[in-house]
Amino acid sequence: MPQNHPPVGDDSIAAAAARLREAAATATPVSPVRDLIGRDDVKAAYAVQQRLTTERIASGATVTGRKIGLTSAAVQRQLGVDQPDFGVLFDDMAYADGSVVPIDAVLQPRIEAEIAFVLGADLTEGPLDAAQVRAAITHAVAAIEICGSRVADWDISFGDTVADNASAGAYALGTRQVPLAGFDPVAAEMTMTVDGETVSTGTGAACLGDPVDAVVWLARQARELGEPLRAGQVVLSGALGPMRPVTPGCVVHATVSGLGTVSVAFSTDSASASA
C-alpha cells in the first residue's frame, strides 16, 4: 500500500525526468528513479511522467491514446500497490499489424497481448461510469503491446514505472474492428505465441475483472489529472496474460477470441524503420 510522504520537490522531479530522458536519448538503461521520488509516491511519479510527456509533445509528437498497466492483482501485489497505472501513447509508437519492428525501437522489450478500445466520444463530463464508457467506445481490436523500460534490468517499483510512462514502448493493433454490442471483453480468450510456441494465455477477466472497468478507472484518473480521454484515442486496456521478453528475429502472434489476430516481427539488427 502507498505510504504517506513529505512532498517531493521540483528539483527531484526534474532530476528524475532528466535521468529517464538521458536513457531514451542514449538508448542506455539507467538506475531507478525511486531514490529521487520514492517507491510509491503517486503524485510525484505522474509529475515526472507529465514533464516528459510535455517535452515530447513540444518536440512534435502527437498523443494517440493511453495504456493501462498493473491491471493484474498478482503484479500489484508484487509491486506493493493497490491500483493500476497508465502511460501516454504517441504516434511514433504505433505499428501496423504484421510490421517488422526494429529490435532497438524499444529498450529491453517485452510483449503483452490485450484488448484495445477506440473511443468515438470525449470522456470529459458526467459520471464516467461503465455505461458512459461503453457508449463512448466505437470498437475493440486485438493488440500487442511492446513494453519497454528505461530502468536497467526492469528493476522497477510503482514510482519508477509510472515516471517512465508506465513502461510504454510501442504497440500494434489488429485490423478486425468489433463493436461492443457484438463482443464480450470479459469472456475473451487470449493466446500469444513467439515463433509458434505458446508463451502466454489468459482471459478478459484477468484485466481488473473486466477490461471496460479498466477504461472506467482510466477515464476518471485522466480527467482528474487534467488530460481527459478524447474521441479517436486508443486505449490499451491491460495485459490478459503474462508479459514475455523478445529477442531479435522473433515473430509474435496474438489471438483474442472474437477479435481475431495481430502480429509483429522483430528485426535482427538496429536498422531504422517507420511505423
Side-chain angles (χ1 to χ4, degrees):
M1 296 288 290
Q3 305 296 314
N4 293 325
H5 310 270
V8 174
D10 288 343
D11 288 350
S12 294
I13 289 169
R19 187 179 297 176
L20 294 169
R21 185 189 310 112
E22 179 72 8
T26 63
T28 304
V30 294
S31 60
V33 296
R34 55 183 176 265
D35 62 314
L36 297 167
I37 63 170
R39 296 183 60 88
D40 52 17
D41 188 316
V42 176
K43 183 177 179 180
Y46 278 112
V48 176
Q49 182 188 123
Q50 182 58 51
R51 183 180 289 248
L52 293 169
T53 295
T54 299
E55 291 175 0
R56 289 194 67 170
I57 293 170
S59 69
T62 300
V63 174
T64 56
R66 306 289 209 292
K67 64 148 290 182
I68 309 172
L70 305 180
T71 53
S72 158
V75 175
Q76 288 183 12
R77 287 194 297 270
Q78 182 181 14
L79 292 181
V81 298
D82 61 355
Q83 64 175 307
D85 70 348
F86 72 84
V88 180
L89 301 177
F90 297 95
D91 53 341
D92 61 358
M93 295 180 176
Y95 287 83
D97 186 13
S99 290
V100 176
V101 179
I103 192 61
D104 61 353
V106 177
L107 273 180
Q108 305 181 105
R110 297 181 178 184
I111 50 168
E112 297 177 338
E114 52 199 89
I115 297 167
F117 299 103
V118 177
L119 300 177
D122 292 350
L123 289 171
T124 57
E125 306 293 338
L128 301 184
D129 56 12
Q132 182 181 358
V133 167
R134 282 180 169 275
I137 293 170
T138 61
H139 59 266
V141 295
I144 290 173
E145 181 180 358
I146 307 165
C147 300
S149 183
R150 270 60 61 175
V151 176
D153 301 319
W154 279 87
D155 178 16
I156 56 173
S157 66
F158 182 76
D160 296 306
T161 186
V162 170
D164 188 24
N165 199 25
S167 303
Y171 66 97
L173 303 181
T175 57
R176 184 178 178 187
Q177 301 176 353
V178 181
L180 288 188
F183 172 66
D184 178 5
V186 176
E189 297 181 350
M190 177 278 293
T191 301
M192 183 172 67
T193 65
V194 174
D195 295 334
E197 179 183 353
T198 299
V199 297
S200 183
T201 61
T203 70
C207 179
L208 290 185
D210 183 342
V212 172
D213 286 344
V215 185
V216 169
W217 174 87
L218 172 64
R220 293 172 176 173
Q221 292 295 311
R223 182 172 69 178
E224 183 177 328
L225 291 173
E227 295 292 341
L229 299 179
R230 299 289 184 180
Q233 290 187 341
V234 175
V235 176
L236 301 180
S237 61
L240 304 186
M243 179 169 61
R244 300 300 187 195
V246 289
T247 54
C250 71
V251 178
V252 181
H253 188 90
T255 301
V256 179
S257 62
L259 297 180
T261 64
V262 57
S263 65
V264 294
F266 288 86
S267 68
T268 56
D269 55 40
S270 59
S272 61
S274 299

